[in-house]
Amino acid sequence: VFFSLVAWFQALWALRVVVAPTRWTLAVGFIANAAIAWVWFVSRTTGVPIGPEPGVAEPAALLDVLSTVLELLIVVVCAALLLRQAPNPSGGGRTRTLFIGALALGLIVLSTIGIAAAGEDEHGHGEEQHGGTMQTQEH
């Protein structure tokens, strides 16, 4: 759930930073993405202190490592832009804004579907394994 909410936040933040970049938006991106990367790092090394398995480190998979690397890249870019005088909002008009909005919405929907599908796979679709044989529960 946490990382699903993070995906929504990041898609909306990306839309905001592209359409109307401000120092405040860059600062929020810097802080939020640094915090998200830190939570991921802790969850993969020592385990987070809350949740279903507190203090148990989770395995690192290729996709979440890649996501964290990209988050750290966002942190670096935000820091570099914050150190400059001011972000340069670029023109582009309504068409560009609508395109970016549609793209962000599409990414949000696809991320949510992907996370939901991954969650279903982890729960085994109601199948349990007992003594080496597979048994299916009736729903």
PDB file of all heavy atoms in Angstrom, residues 10-34:
ATOM      1  N   GLN A  10       4.281  10.268  -6.921  1.00  0.00           N
ATOM      2  CA  GLN A  10       5.347  10.581  -7.869  1.00  0.00           C
ATOM      3  C   GLN A  10       4.805  10.947  -9.248  1.00  0.00           C
ATOM      4  O   GLN A  10       5.341  11.839  -9.904  1.00  0.00           O
ATOM      5  CB  GLN A  10       6.332   9.414  -7.959  1.00  0.00           C
ATOM      6  CG  GLN A  10       7.176   9.303  -6.709  1.00  0.00           C
ATOM      7  CD  GLN A  10       8.106   8.121  -6.748  1.00  0.00           C
ATOM      8  OE1 GLN A  10       7.780   7.075  -7.280  1.00  0.00           O
ATOM      9  NE2 GLN A  10       9.276   8.290  -6.156  1.00  0.00           N
ATOM     10  N   ALA A  11       3.746  10.278  -9.684  1.00  0.00           N
ATOM     11  CA  ALA A  11       3.166  10.619 -10.986  1.00  0.00           C
ATOM     12  C   ALA A  11       2.572  12.026 -10.955  1.00  0.00           C
ATOM     13  O   ALA A  11       2.776  12.813 -11.891  1.00  0.00           O
ATOM     14  CB  ALA A  11       2.109   9.591 -11.375  1.00  0.00           C
ATOM     15  N   LEU A  12       1.862  12.340  -9.892  1.00  0.00           N
ATOM     16  CA  LEU A  12       1.270  13.681  -9.786  1.00  0.00           C
ATOM     17  C   LEU A  12       2.348  14.745  -9.606  1.00  0.00           C
ATOM     18  O   LEU A  12       2.245  15.842 -10.156  1.00  0.00           O
ATOM     19  CB  LEU A  12       0.253  13.713  -8.643  1.00  0.00           C
ATOM     20  CG  LEU A  12      -0.984  12.840  -8.875  1.00  0.00           C
ATOM     21  CD1 LEU A  12      -1.842  12.792  -7.619  1.00  0.00           C
ATOM     22  CD2 LEU A  12      -1.779  13.329 -10.068  1.00  0.00           C
ATOM     23  N   TRP A  13       3.384  14.437  -8.840  1.00  0.00           N
ATOM     24  CA  TRP A  13       4.489  15.380  -8.655  1.00  0.00           C
ATOM     25  C   TRP A  13       5.188  15.635  -9.990  1.00  0.00           C
ATOM     26  O   TRP A  13       5.519  16.771 -10.326  1.00  0.00           O
ATOM     27  CB  TRP A  13       5.487  14.856  -7.621  1.00  0.00           C
ATOM     28  CG  TRP A  13       6.676  15.752  -7.502  1.00  0.00           C
ATOM     29  CD1 TRP A  13       6.775  16.876  -6.740  1.00  0.00           C
ATOM     30  CD2 TRP A  13       7.929  15.617  -8.184  1.00  0.00           C
ATOM     31  NE1 TRP A  13       8.010  17.447  -6.913  1.00  0.00           N
ATOM     32  CE2 TRP A  13       8.739  16.695  -7.792  1.00  0.00           C
ATOM     33  CE3 TRP A  13       8.440  14.688  -9.083  1.00  0.00           C
ATOM     34  CZ2 TRP A  13      10.038  16.865  -8.272  1.00  0.00           C
ATOM     35  CZ3 TRP A  13       9.725  14.857  -9.557  1.00  0.00           C
ATOM     36  CH2 TRP A  13      10.499  15.935  -9.153  1.00  0.00           C
ATOM     37  N   ALA A  14       5.421  14.578 -10.763  1.00  0.00           N
ATOM     38  CA  ALA A  14       6.073  14.736 -12.070  1.00  0.00           C
ATOM     39  C   ALA A  14       5.242  15.627 -12.986  1.00  0.00           C
ATOM     40  O   ALA A  14       5.791  16.474 -13.695  1.00  0.00           O
ATOM     41  CB  ALA A  14       6.302  13.366 -12.708  1.00  0.00           C
ATOM     42  N   LEU A  15       3.948  15.451 -12.959  1.00  0.00           N
ATOM     43  CA  LEU A  15       3.073  16.310 -13.751  1.00  0.00           C
ATOM     44  C   LEU A  15       3.228  17.761 -13.318  1.00  0.00           C
ATOM     45  O   LEU A  15       3.413  18.648 -14.149  1.00  0.00           O
ATOM     46  CB  LEU A  15       1.618  15.860 -13.604  1.00  0.00           C
ATOM     47  CG  LEU A  15       0.576  16.722 -14.299  1.00  0.00           C
ATOM     48  CD1 LEU A  15       0.789  16.703 -15.803  1.00  0.00           C
ATOM     49  CD2 LEU A  15      -0.821  16.221 -13.948  1.00  0.00           C
ATOM     50  N   ARG A  16       3.215  17.992 -12.031  1.00  0.00           N
ATOM     51  CA  ARG A  16       3.337  19.349 -11.503  1.00  0.00           C
ATOM     52  C   ARG A  16       4.691  19.969 -11.873  1.00  0.00           C
ATOM     53  O   ARG A  16       4.762  21.136 -12.259  1.00  0.00           O
ATOM     54  CB  ARG A  16       3.147  19.323  -9.988  1.00  0.00           C
ATOM     55  CG  ARG A  16       3.512  20.565  -9.255  1.00  0.00           C
ATOM     56  CD  ARG A  16       2.566  21.680  -9.541  1.00  0.00           C
ATOM     57  NE  ARG A  16       3.068  22.883  -8.876  1.00  0.00           N
ATOM     58  CZ  ARG A  16       2.442  24.002  -8.832  1.00  0.00           C
ATOM     59  NH1 ARG A  16       1.258  24.112  -9.397  1.00  0.00           N
ATOM     60  NH2 ARG A  16       2.958  25.032  -8.229  1.00  0.00           N
ATOM     61  N   VAL A  17       5.758  19.223 -11.749  1.00  0.00           N
ATOM     62  CA  VAL A  17       7.082  19.788 -12.005  1.00  0.00           C
ATOM     63  C   VAL A  17       7.290  20.078 -13.490  1.00  0.00           C
ATOM     64  O   VAL A  17       8.023  21.002 -13.838  1.00  0.00           O
ATOM     65  CB  VAL A  17       8.205  18.891 -11.427  1.00  0.00           C
ATOM     66  CG1 VAL A  17       8.547  17.739 -12.342  1.00  0.00           C
ATOM     67  CG2 VAL A  17       9.447  19.691 -11.111  1.00  0.00           C
ATOM     68  N   VAL A  18       6.614  19.341 -14.357  1.00  0.00           N
ATOM     69  CA  VAL A  18       6.743  19.595 -15.792  1.00  0.00           C
ATOM     70  C   VAL A  18       5.855  20.763 -16.221  1.00  0.00           C
ATOM     71  O   VAL A  18       6.276  21.613 -16.997  1.00  0.00           O
ATOM     72  CB  VAL A  18       6.409  18.323 -16.606  1.00  0.00           C
ATOM     73  CG1 VAL A  18       6.284  18.621 -18.087  1.00  0.00           C
ATOM     74  CG2 VAL A  18       7.469  17.263 -16.364  1.00  0.00           C
ATOM     75  N   VAL A  19       4.636  20.815 -15.698  1.00  0.00           N
ATOM     76  CA  VAL A  19       3.688  21.853 -16.106  1.00  0.00           C
ATOM     77  C   VAL A  19       4.032  23.202 -15.487  1.00  0.00           C
ATOM     78  O   VAL A  19       4.007  24.226 -16.162  1.00  0.00           O
ATOM     79  CB  VAL A  19       2.242  21.437 -15.738  1.00  0.00           C
ATOM     80  CG1 VAL A  19       1.266  22.582 -15.949  1.00  0.00           C
ATOM     81  CG2 VAL A  19       1.832  20.228 -16.555  1.00  0.00           C
ATOM     82  N   ALA A  20       4.346  23.208 -14.189  1.00  0.00           N
ATOM     83  CA  ALA A  20       4.596  24.483 -13.506  1.00  0.00           C
ATOM     84  C   ALA A  20       5.698  24.309 -12.461  1.00  0.00           C
ATOM     85  O   ALA A  20       5.433  24.211 -11.262  1.00  0.00           O
ATOM     86  CB  ALA A  20       3.316  24.984 -12.839  1.00  0.00           C
ATOM     87  N   PRO A  21       6.954  24.236 -12.902  1.00  0.00           N
ATOM     88  CA  PRO A  21       8.043  24.022 -11.942  1.00  0.00           C
ATOM     89  C   PRO A  21       8.248  25.243 -11.039  1.00  0.00           C
ATOM     90  O   PRO A  21       8.291  26.369 -11.517  1.00  0.00           O
ATOM     91  CB  PRO A  21       9.263  23.785 -12.838  1.00  0.00           C
ATOM     92  CG  PRO A  21       8.927  24.453 -14.124  1.00  0.00           C
ATOM     93  CD  PRO A  21       7.437  24.372 -14.268  1.00  0.00           C
ATOM     94  N   THR A  22       8.317  24.987  -9.765  1.00  0.00           N
ATOM     95  CA  THR A  22       8.609  26.043  -8.789  1.00  0.00           C
ATOM     96  C   THR A  22       9.663  25.503  -7.827  1.00  0.00           C
ATOM     97  O   THR A  22       9.898  24.291  -7.755  1.00  0.00           O
ATOM     98  CB  THR A  22       7.358  26.454  -7.987  1.00  0.00           C
ATOM     99  OG1 THR A  22       6.923  25.323  -7.209  1.00  0.00           O
ATOM    100  CG2 THR A  22       6.234  26.925  -8.895  1.00  0.00           C
ATOM    101  N   ARG A  23      10.271  26.388  -7.094  1.00  0.00           N
ATOM    102  CA  ARG A  23      11.255  25.947  -6.095  1.00  0.00           C
ATOM    103  C   ARG A  23      10.589  25.062  -5.050  1.00  0.00           C
ATOM    104  O   ARG A  23      11.169  24.090  -4.598  1.00  0.00           O
ATOM    105  CB  ARG A  23      11.937  27.153  -5.459  1.00  0.00           C
ATOM    106  CG  ARG A  23      12.788  27.922  -6.469  1.00  0.00           C
ATOM    107  CD  ARG A  23      13.584  29.038  -5.830  1.00  0.00           C
ATOM    108  NE  ARG A  23      14.627  28.597  -4.928  1.00  0.00           N
ATOM    109  CZ  ARG A  23      15.780  28.015  -5.293  1.00  0.00           C
ATOM    110  NH1 ARG A  23      16.022  27.805  -6.566  1.00  0.00           N
ATOM    111  NH2 ARG A  23      16.673  27.668  -4.402  1.00  0.00           N
ATOM    112  N   TRP A  24       9.355  25.394  -4.673  1.00  0.00           N
ATOM    113  CA  TRP A  24       8.630  24.602  -3.685  1.00  0.00           C
ATOM    114  C   TRP A  24       8.399  23.185  -4.205  1.00  0.00           C
ATOM    115  O   TRP A  24       8.599  22.209  -3.491  1.00  0.00           O
ATOM    116  CB  TRP A  24       7.295  25.282  -3.357  1.00  0.00           C
ATOM    117  CG  TRP A  24       6.521  24.562  -2.305  1.00  0.00           C
ATOM    118  CD1 TRP A  24       6.675  24.684  -0.958  1.00  0.00           C
ATOM    119  CD2 TRP A  24       5.498  23.593  -2.513  1.00  0.00           C
ATOM    120  NE1 TRP A  24       5.792  23.847  -0.308  1.00  0.00           N
ATOM    121  CE2 TRP A  24       5.057  23.165  -1.254  1.00  0.00           C
ATOM    122  CE3 TRP A  24       4.900  23.048  -3.643  1.00  0.00           C
ATOM    123  CZ2 TRP A  24       4.060  22.215  -1.083  1.00  0.00           C
ATOM    124  CZ3 TRP A  24       3.901  22.096  -3.478  1.00  0.00           C
ATOM    125  CH2 TRP A  24       3.497  21.697  -2.217  1.00  0.00           C
ATOM    126  N   THR A  25       7.983  23.055  -5.469  1.00  0.00           N
ATOM    127  CA  THR A  25       7.745  21.740  -6.066  1.00  0.00           C
ATOM    128  C   THR A  25       9.031  20.928  -6.113  1.00  0.00           C
ATOM    129  O   THR A  25       9.035  19.737  -5.807  1.00  0.00           O
ATOM    130  CB  THR A  25       7.171  21.889  -7.497  1.00  0.00           C
ATOM    131  OG1 THR A  25       5.992  22.681  -7.432  1.00  0.00           O
ATOM    132  CG2 THR A  25       6.845  20.552  -8.107  1.00  0.00           C
ATOM    133  N   LEU A  26      10.132  21.564  -6.470  1.00  0.00           N
ATOM    134  CA  LEU A  26      11.428  20.875  -6.493  1.00  0.00           C
ATOM    135  C   LEU A  26      11.843  20.439  -5.097  1.00  0.00           C
ATOM    136  O   LEU A  26      12.364  19.332  -4.902  1.00  0.00           O
ATOM    137  CB  LEU A  26      12.501  21.769  -7.117  1.00  0.00           C
ATOM    138  CG  LEU A  26      12.343  22.054  -8.607  1.00  0.00           C
ATOM    139  CD1 LEU A  26      13.355  23.099  -9.053  1.00  0.00           C
ATOM    140  CD2 LEU A  26      12.473  20.775  -9.420  1.00  0.00           C
ATOM    141  N   ALA A  27      11.608  21.287  -4.101  1.00  0.00           N
ATOM    142  CA  ALA A  27      11.959  20.946  -2.720  1.00  0.00           C
ATOM    143  C   ALA A  27      11.139  19.748  -2.230  1.00  0.00           C
ATOM    144  O   ALA A  27      11.668  18.840  -1.579  1.00  0.00           O
ATOM    145  CB  ALA A  27      11.766  22.149  -1.798  1.00  0.00           C
ATOM    146  N   VAL A  28       9.850  19.749  -2.547  1.00  0.00           N
ATOM    147  CA  VAL A  28       8.998  18.615  -2.163  1.00  0.00           C
ATOM    148  C   VAL A  28       9.497  17.336  -2.832  1.00  0.00           C
ATOM    149  O   VAL A  28       9.588  16.282  -2.199  1.00  0.00           O
ATOM    150  CB  VAL A  28       7.520  18.899  -2.525  1.00  0.00           C
ATOM    151  CG1 VAL A  28       6.677  17.637  -2.436  1.00  0.00           C
ATOM    152  CG2 VAL A  28       6.950  19.975  -1.619  1.00  0.00           C
ATOM    153  N   GLY A  29       9.840  17.415  -4.114  1.00  0.00           N
ATOM    154  CA  GLY A  29      10.368  16.250  -4.827  1.00  0.00           C
ATOM    155  C   GLY A  29      11.674  15.756  -4.234  1.00  0.00           C
ATOM    156  O   GLY A  29      11.887  14.559  -4.092  1.00  0.00           O
ATOM    157  N   PHE A  30      12.536  16.694  -3.882  1.00  0.00           N
ATOM    158  CA  PHE A  30      13.822  16.338  -3.275  1.00  0.00           C
ATOM    159  C   PHE A  30      13.593  15.589  -1.958  1.00  0.00           C
ATOM    160  O   PHE A  30      14.119  14.492  -1.751  1.00  0.00           O
ATOM    161  CB  PHE A  30      14.647  17.601  -3.030  1.00  0.00           C
ATOM    162  CG  PHE A  30      15.924  17.358  -2.292  1.00  0.00           C
ATOM    163  CD1 PHE A  30      17.063  16.953  -2.957  1.00  0.00           C
ATOM    164  CD2 PHE A  30      15.989  17.523  -0.912  1.00  0.00           C
ATOM    165  CE1 PHE A  30      18.244  16.720  -2.283  1.00  0.00           C
ATOM    166  CE2 PHE A  30      17.164  17.291  -0.222  1.00  0.00           C
ATOM    167  CZ  PHE A  30      18.294  16.886  -0.912  1.00  0.00           C
ATOM    168  N   ILE A  31      12.803  16.183  -1.070  1.00  0.00           N
ATOM    169  CA  ILE A  31      12.574  15.593   0.261  1.00  0.00           C
ATOM    170  C   ILE A  31      11.821  14.267   0.164  1.00  0.00           C
ATOM    171  O   ILE A  31      12.217  13.268   0.779  1.00  0.00           O
ATOM    172  CB  ILE A  31      11.817  16.591   1.161  1.00  0.00           C
ATOM    173  CG1 ILE A  31      12.714  17.790   1.470  1.00  0.00           C
ATOM    174  CG2 ILE A  31      11.342  15.929   2.448  1.00  0.00           C
ATOM    175  CD1 ILE A  31      11.978  18.968   2.078  1.00  0.00           C
ATOM    176  N   ALA A  32      10.741  14.246  -0.609  1.00  0.00           N
ATOM    177  CA  ALA A  32       9.916  13.037  -0.696  1.00  0.00           C
ATOM    178  C   ALA A  32      10.684  11.874  -1.313  1.00  0.00           C
ATOM    179  O   ALA A  32      10.657  10.751  -0.786  1.00  0.00           O
ATOM    180  CB  ALA A  32       8.650  13.321  -1.497  1.00  0.00           C
ATOM    181  N   ASN A  33      11.388  12.112  -2.410  1.00  0.00           N
ATOM    182  CA  ASN A  33      12.112  11.017  -3.056  1.00  0.00           C
ATOM    183  C   ASN A  33      13.294  10.539  -2.227  1.00  0.00           C
ATOM    184  O   ASN A  33      13.604   9.352  -2.212  1.00  0.00           O
ATOM    185  CB  ASN A  33      12.530  11.420  -4.469  1.00  0.00           C
ATOM    186  CG  ASN A  33      11.354  11.352  -5.420  1.00  0.00           C
ATOM    187  OD1 ASN A  33      10.888  10.281  -5.758  1.00  0.00           O
ATOM    188  ND2 ASN A  33      10.849  12.506  -5.816  1.00  0.00           N
ATOM    189  N   ALA A  34      13.949  11.445  -1.509  1.00  0.00           N
ATOM    190  CA  ALA A  34      15.027  11.024  -0.605  1.00  0.00           C
ATOM    191  C   ALA A  34      14.455  10.156   0.517  1.00  0.00           C
ATOM    192  O   ALA A  34      15.033   9.122   0.876  1.00  0.00           O
ATOM    193  CB  ALA A  34      15.740  12.249  -0.035  1.00  0.00           C
TER     194      ALA A  34
END
